[in-house]
């Protein structure tokens, strides 16, 4: 059954929350079958699937397209849709764009940084909101860890508290020192979801392409559970060799797709 924000909040201190990103229908289907409680359709889609060099090129139309595909693959999973860069500049703009993502199939939206008025406005209009602090890629100059100095740590800590107080039901903590994430997790009333923020967060999120080993760069905090880029290379090389030798399509065991003969 699809998890509601309240149920996710009640998991704090009880059970860790596993979250993964997804951008396509078949991947979402696999995540739902595996019992992943929450899927994030992140604007990382721009970098890991669309070949952009940052998340800033992602549009609301891109997000709606991918959220629709993920919803068709995972009809019973809570889906968070990312509000793309500059679609949340004012509370009204953010509400219009959030409604677009909800109509596409999202159950909640995520936005980066301490946009407290925006968060409060969305929540007042019945849009469940996930906050995001620490490294915030839409505005970051680089992907270095955030919160290593005392002043920066205090800023991240205050931001996390303010985001939760404004009404966010989850707060993503990205690429911050583990001890800082532990402090924030202990003092926040809502679950924290870490990515590169250590083991003490209430949940963890990974970009699915990183976990699958699908790409050519993986952040230092990700773990590759598979090596799909290597598999693609091997499949393409073998296929090419077999076409050249005419081994394919001879000697294949027929596989009937439903609806085909
Ligand atoms: O866009 C995204 O995938 C994210 C995760 C890195 C948390 O925001």
């Amino acid at each position: 059954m699809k998890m509601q924000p309240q149920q996710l909040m009640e998991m704090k201190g009880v059970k860790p929350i596993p979250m993964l990103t997804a951008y396509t229908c078949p991947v979402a289907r696999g995540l739902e079958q595996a019992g992943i409680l929450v899927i994030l359709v992140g604007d990382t889609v721009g970098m890991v699937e669309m070949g952009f060099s940052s998340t800033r090129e992602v549009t609301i139309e891109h997000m709606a397209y991918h959220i629709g595909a993920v919803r068709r693959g995972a009809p019973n999973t809570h889906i968070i849709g990312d509000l793309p860069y500059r679609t949340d500049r004012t509370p009204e703009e953010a509400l219009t764009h959030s409604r677009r993502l909800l109509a596409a199939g999202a159950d909640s939206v995520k936005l980066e940084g301490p946009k407290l008025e925006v968060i409060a406005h969305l929540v007042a209009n019945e849009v469940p909101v996930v906050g995001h602090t620490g490294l915030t890629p839409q505005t970051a100059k680089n992907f270095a860890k955030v919160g290593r100095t005392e002043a920066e740590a205090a800023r991240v800590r205050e931001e996390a508290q303010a985001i939760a107080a404004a009404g966010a039901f989850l707060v993503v903590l990205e690429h911050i020192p583990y001890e800082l994430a532990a402090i924030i997790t202990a003092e926040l009333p809502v679950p924290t979801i870490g990515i590169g923020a250590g083991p003490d967060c209430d949940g963890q999120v990974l970009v699915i392409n990183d976990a699958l080993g699908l790409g050519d760069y993986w952040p230092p905090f990700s773990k590759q559970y598979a090596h799909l880029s290597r598999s693609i290379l091997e499949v393409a090389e073998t296929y090419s060799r077999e076409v050249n030798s005419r081994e394919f399509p001879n000697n294949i065991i027929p596989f009937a797709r439903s609806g085909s003969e």
Side-chain angles (χ1 to χ4, degrees):
M1 280 307 294
K2 191 195 281 186
M3 295 293 282
Q4 301 302 322
Q6 184 61 33
Q7 292 172 294
L8 290 165
M9 284 168 71
E10 286 166 7
M11 287 178 72
K12 188 174 177 82
V14 179
K15 216 170 175 295
I17 301 171
M19 186 190 296
L20 281 166
T21 72
Y23 317 104
T24 62
C25 178
V27 170
R29 188 170 288 133
L31 302 193
E32 180 162 294
Q33 279 169 6
I36 292 294
L37 294 183
V38 188
I39 296 178
L40 168 63
V41 185
D43 60 2
T44 39
V45 67
M47 298 179 76
V48 302
E49 290 286 340
M50 301 169 82
F52 293 134
S53 57
S54 85
T55 56
R56 287 186 280 274
E57 278 85 356
V58 175
T59 66
I60 198 78
E61 282 72 31
H62 294 146
M63 291 305 302
Y65 171 92
H66 286 281
I67 288 168
V70 169
R71 173 53 76 209
R72 287 185 285 280
N76 298 312
T77 302
H78 187 103
I79 294 176
I80 305 170
D82 247 349
L83 280 170
Y85 183 51
R86 292 166 77 82
T87 59
D88 55 5
R89 284 179 296 186
T90 67
E92 293 70 30
E93 244 186 295
L95 183 58
T96 303
H97 290 123
S98 297
R99 286 183 170 151
R100 175 95 175 84
L101 300 189
L102 298 186
D107 297 296
S108 57
V109 302
K110 178 169 80 58
L111 58 92
E112 294 184 7
K115 302 183 183 104
L116 307 181
E117 263 184 65
V118 170
I119 296 172
H121 187 64
L122 295 180
V123 173
N125 284 279
E126 290 169 11
V127 179
V129 176
V130 176
H132 183 159
T133 185
L135 175 66
T136 47
Q138 289 177 1
T139 47
K141 292 197 177 67
N142 56 52
F143 291 107
K145 192 176 277 194
V146 174
R148 281 181 299 194
T149 66
E150 224 172 277
E152 214 177 43
R155 200 246 315 146
V156 173
R157 200 170 154 185
E158 278 162 27
E159 269 186 28
Q161 282 170 346
I163 287 169
F169 73 96
L170 299 176
V171 179
V172 171
L173 301 176
E174 181 165 355
H175 210 17
I176 62 173
Y178 291 6
E179 313 75 54
L180 177 60
I183 291 169
I184 294 173
T185 299
E187 63 193 9
L188 245 54
V190 299
T192 58
I193 306 293
I195 175 161
D200 295 315
C201 297
D202 296 302
Q204 299 290 330
V205 59
L206 269 188
V207 171
I208 189 69
N209 295 52
D210 298 345
L212 294 174
L214 180 58
D216 49 15
Y217 165 79
W218 297 287
F221 47 78
S222 86
K223 176 173 174 184
Q224 287 76 63
Y225 290 84
H227 301 281
L228 290 201
S229 286
R230 202 186 298 159
S231 300
I232 290 171
L233 183 68
E234 285 165 8
V235 166
E237 284 175 349
T238 306
Y239 169 74
S240 173
R241 198 170 52 247
E242 290 190 359
V243 169
N244 283 323
S245 67
R246 300 192 188 280
E247 187 181 339
F248 180 89
N250 292 322
N251 305 328
I252 59 166
I253 302 160
F255 170 76
R257 276 216 182 95
S258 61
S260 68
E261 58 183 47

